[in-house]
Amino acid sequence: MSELYSVLVESVAGGEVVLRVTTVHPDAGPPPDTASFTVEILLDLWSLLDRGFGGLVDGCSLERAEAQRLARDPAWAARCQQLRELGFGRQVECTPEEYAALEAAMMEGGPMLFRGEPVGGLLGYGKQSYVFIPGDPAVFATAVAPLIAAHGVDQHEFDESYEDWPDDPDRRPRARVWVRVHDPQWLGFVRPGWRWDSAAH
């Protein structure tokens, strides 16, 4: 998936995270002024760390194991994992019989349900089969809402570039995106100066 935004952490203090979000894809549009969007881009960071991909985060010098240790801290790991699955979907192991039944349903054009949930795809690694359960934006937004004290998008720059996309990356549109959470602890994996790309929308 094409990256839509470049995200820079400007500050983290007292439960408030301030980000500078630059639009890097001409079709992306301005950053949405929703708590869900802001949490999505922060979960992109958490996911990179969780997979040991600190090298994809500019300004992060953590080695693979260090990045994973940070992401998997009990103070935030479970909440981030749950939110990530609600927003982005999850892989679930299935039996060969379940996989075959779903494959048959797909070939017949019928509904694909796995234990009552809609299936977005079938996967297999070696001898193990999986189903992909897609995320649900409405459920994700409902889960995010009670965590957020306030959020906003302001300080827009170069908005005219949406009409005439610039070759100069320094002239691409950007805005300040900020969020304040009720429990500062669960954003303890975020560090000022880190930058990463996101396909959140």
Side-chain angles (χ1 to χ4, degrees):
M1 182 180 291
S2 297
E3 306 305 343
L4 304 179
Y5 302 98
S6 174
V7 183
L8 171 68
V9 182
E10 291 194 340
S11 64
V12 183
E16 183 170 279
V17 176
V18 178
L19 310 166
R20 188 65 51 176
V21 178
T22 301
T23 304
V24 297
H25 193 290
D27 297 330
D33 189 359
T34 66
S36 294
F37 172 78
T38 308
V39 172
E40 273 190 54
I41 57 178
L42 291 171
L43 290 173
D44 277 340
L45 170 62
W46 176 82
S47 179
L48 288 170
L49 298 172
D50 184 56
R51 290 176 289 154
F53 295 157
L56 297 179
V57 180
D58 290 347
C60 175
S61 59
L62 298 178
E63 297 293 336
R64 181 182 180 87
E66 294 174 312
Q68 289 179 320
R69 274 197 298 273
L70 175 60
R72 296 171 186 178
D73 188 302
W76 48 78
R79 177 172 283 166
C80 289
Q81 180 68 40
Q82 178 194 33
L83 289 171
R84 179 84 184 170
E85 290 179 354
L86 290 175
F88 296 83
R90 68 189 192 280
Q91 271 183 207
V92 183
E93 288 186 13
C94 65
T95 66
E97 294 77 18
E98 288 170 322
Y99 188 92
L102 288 166
E103 203 169 34
M106 181 173 62
M107 299 298 271
E108 293 167 4
M112 293 174 61
L113 293 176
F114 177 71
R115 301 172 190 171
E117 295 187 274
V119 173
L122 302 175
L123 308 157
Y125 305 107
K127 295 182 179 180
Q128 182 57 58
S129 299
Y130 300 85
V131 297
F132 176 70
I133 308 296
D136 185 320
V139 173
F140 179 69
T142 299
V144 165
L147 306 176
I148 305 302
H151 67 88
V153 179
D154 54 26
Q155 296 183 9
H156 292 266
E157 298 177 274
F158 307 122
D159 275 0
E160 66 278 4
S161 296
Y162 288 113
E163 301 298 325
D164 185 16
W165 194 252
D167 292 328
D168 182 357
D170 291 335
R171 301 291 297 180
R172 288 179 181 162
R174 57 181 174 255
R176 186 180 78 149
V177 175
W178 59 273
V179 65
R180 189 177 308 121
V181 296
H182 292 296
D183 176 12
Q185 189 177 42
W186 79 272
L187 291 179
F189 60 92
V190 184
R191 300 286 186 274
W194 284 2
R195 184 193 298 270
W196 66 97
D197 293 331
S198 174
H201 53 80

